[in-house]
Amino acid sequence: MHLPALRAGWLTQTFVHWAYPPEEVQRLLPDGLVADTFEGAAWVSLTPFVMADVRPPGLPLALPSFPETNLRTYVRDRNGRDGLWFLSIEVSSPVMLAARAVGVPYHVGRLEVARRGDAVRYTGARRGGGPSYEIAVRPGEPVRPGPRDVWLTSRWRAFTRRFGALWETPVEHVPWPVRAARLDTVEQTLTRAAGLAPPTTAPLVHYSDGVHKVRLGISRPVRPARGAGDGAP
């Protein structure tokens, strides 16, 4: 990545993952993307965190830190490249709404991240009485990520759709340092608002102190699939 479009740190991040039938996730995806699976299941993750040291191009100083919460799933494009598809993104800073220009589904709301003893509590509600969430976790000891942990956290591009085209945004940062975590509370209506049935499986939970020096590249249209025009799906 020669010229990042945004620099930031993603800190105090919790990952709450639910397994879903692939066909349930697939119906929410645009043409050109298929649900990625791990051992036969598609996954949907709720990931609250703190955006820190946010530096858009041309600004001499970083923006103040603010909370953000993503509802995301895992996909592949027609060229087989893996990435993320965001079902929704809650954010407290209206500055981030500029990314709607390439289809990033930002929604402004009231978000908070607070530490209480050994617990981290995340709350949020979309402006206008929309979906909301409350999550409380107790971070544990560092763990060595297994194959599923790496699959769920190590994604280096995000896809969006705008102007009738699929776009991709590259992402660079060091691998997530992962901790075990105990989930005390999870109450949320974001999955329902995105068109998903309520989760029926127990969530898998990770916590990370975060990654610094995140670099998001310039968004660009996805190139046609290899073999386009010769009957390739």
Side-chain angles (χ1 to χ4, degrees):
M1 185 186 304
H2 299 292
L3 181 64
L6 187 74
R7 300 175 188 266
W10 294 340
L11 310 181
T12 318
Q13 178 144 339
T14 289
F15 302 82
V16 182
H17 314 278
W18 292 281
Y20 273 89
E23 61 273 14
E24 187 164 348
V25 171
Q26 184 63 48
R27 65 184 178 82
L28 302 179
L29 301 179
D31 290 343
L33 294 179
V34 296
D36 202 1
T37 61
F38 187 91
E39 295 181 348
W43 288 79
V44 173
S45 302
L46 187 58
T47 61
F49 62 101
V50 174
M51 282 278 279
D53 197 28
V54 181
R55 296 177 180 270
L59 289 185
L61 299 175
L63 300 175
S65 299
F66 55 87
E68 180 174 316
T69 295
N70 300 336
L71 184 68
R72 70 193 204 182
T73 192
Y74 305 87
V75 297
R76 290 186 179 272
D77 69 6
R78 287 174 172 168
N79 289 312
R81 301 176 308 154
D82 64 1
L84 296 173
W85 175 259
F86 293 106
L87 298 167
S88 64
I89 303 180
E90 315 304 312
V91 68
S92 62
S93 174
V95 172
M96 300 304 292
L97 296 181
R100 285 182 173 178
V102 291
V104 183
Y106 274 113
H107 302 276
V108 174
R110 301 184 308 276
L111 282 68
E112 182 180 359
V113 178
R115 291 185 179 272
R116 296 181 179 178
D118 61 350
V120 182
R121 181 173 176 267
Y122 309 85
T123 57
R126 191 177 299 176
R127 182 180 294 173
S132 61
Y133 63 89
E134 179 179 353
I135 299 169
V137 299
R138 296 181 187 273
E141 295 298 316
V143 298
R144 183 185 298 275
R148 184 175 60 178
D149 306 319
V150 173
W151 188 91
L152 286 165
T153 59
S154 298
R155 298 286 166 144
W156 311 113
R157 67 180 56 83
F159 295 104
T160 58
R161 188 168 180 83
R162 186 69 167 167
F163 306 122
L166 199 62
W167 295 65
E168 62 174 308
T169 303
V171 180
E172 291 181 355
H173 59 75
V174 300
W176 288 98
V178 177
R179 294 180 179 270
R182 189 180 81 195
L183 187 63
D184 285 352
T185 302
V186 57
E187 297 178 0
Q188 57 83 27
T189 57
L190 290 166
T191 50
R192 183 178 66 191
L196 288 163
T200 59
T201 59
L204 173 67
V205 185
H206 297 102
Y207 177 83
S208 179
D209 297 312
V211 290
H212 298 270
K213 299 182 179 179
V214 177
R215 292 156 51 92
L216 283 78
I218 297 172
S219 300
R220 57 184 181 270
V222 174
R223 294 179 179 178
R226 293 187 299 268
D230 61 3

